[in-house]
Amino acid sequence: MSSELRVKFWGVRGSYPTPGAETVKYGGNTASIEVRAGERTIILDAGTGIIPLGRELARTTPALAGGARERAGEIMLLFSHLHHDHTQGFPFFVPAYMPSTKLHIFGPDGTHESMRNVLERNQSSETFPVGLRDMSATKDIQAVRESQVILWDETGVRAVESTVGLDNEAAVVIRIHKSYAHPGGVYAYRITWRGKSVVYATDTEGYVGTDRKLVQFAKDADVLIHDAQYLEEHYRGQLVGFPSTQGFGHSTVTMACEVAAASEAGQLILFHHDPSYSDDMVAGIERTAKSLFADSVAAYEGLEISLTPNPSPIGRGENVAVRLQSSAVNGRDVQYAQNG
Ligand SMILES: [Zn+2]
Ligand SMILES: [Zn+2]
């Protein structure tokens, strides 16, 4: 059984999918990220990137591919919020059509509507040929609050009010930060497993002096995935042909770097690229980021990061049962690999 915490990017674009020659390098699918904690699969958001991910899971997960029928293929899906670019791939997610799949879906309720209602409405007969209820997978859809913690261990998946007394090294622990820095609100997630953690903070706009609550939430994360949709000049309305985007609920590359530096993250992954940006413009964002926070990478489809827990029991103070020491030199042992 794999003991790595792995992250793979399947959709990195914000707002709407952008096929074409100008976006080949970083990719044109909207937000979707696969996180593997050992054998457990957690998906962050269901933009169109979840469509190729679903095909891959249906092909390679034994329980889904028909190899182990006695056990359902369990998949957790976390919604940051319910805007189109984070949900539009779900109706095309192949495992959701397979009776051998058990989906645990968590996220926020909308301001005026429950999460379940929004997902059902996205697949009403007026808008899509297959209703949510007609997808064959078992679906456990649960809106969660910021105060709750989502756990996944040998006994299964559940949302709890507290992890006091939890002493289980095998548990995946997922904490929630509710941000108001995006229209309608958004959840950031912190996924921790065996002393390694990944923070996902998409669709958020920076504050003057940085977003202190987010910095606290992301403190010492090994990987911080942060919205970095805009070049500074674009945000300020100083780029010809690009009206100002202040207040739209997305960050500049500088805002993302400020959060990464203040939280002392191991790596910053720039995410939710503007759909109007060419590969050259995203590469420019990455250059700017590296000058502000050296360990920065602009997310691209196929980017993979592996975090290997060190078996030493001396820890960095991550709030899970087993405390594991990070690698000797700088506390990080991140590896990159390109795949697809
Ligand atoms: Zn978005
Ligand atoms: Zn949004």
Side-chain angles (χ1 to χ4, degrees), residues 49-59 92-95:
I50 203 174
I51 301 169
L53 167 57
R55 285 197 292 265
E56 175 81 1
L57 289 173
R59 200 175 58 76
F92 304 97
F93 182 54
V94 171

Side-chain angles (χ1 to χ4, degrees), residues 14-15 81 83 85-86 182 202-203 250 272:
S15 309
H81 62 317
H83 287 168
D85 51 329
H86 301 258
H182 190 70
T202 188
D203 293 63
H250 297 286
H272 206 275

Side-chain angles (χ1 to χ4, degrees), residues 61-114:
T61 307
L64 299 183
R69 291 185 187 283
E70 73 280 3
R71 215 179 109 243
E74 289 194 82
I75 297 170
M76 185 187 293
L77 172 57
L78 303 174
F79 284 111
S80 61
H81 62 317
L82 303 170
H83 287 168
H84 280 151
D85 51 329
H86 301 258
T87 58
Q88 63 201 166
F90 185 75
F92 304 97
F93 182 54
V94 171
Y97 290 87
M98 303 171 78
S100 52
T101 304
K102 177 155 190 183
L103 276 174
H104 304 274
I105 301 176
F106 295 98
D109 275 333
T111 312
H112 305 292
E113 240 183 301
S114 71

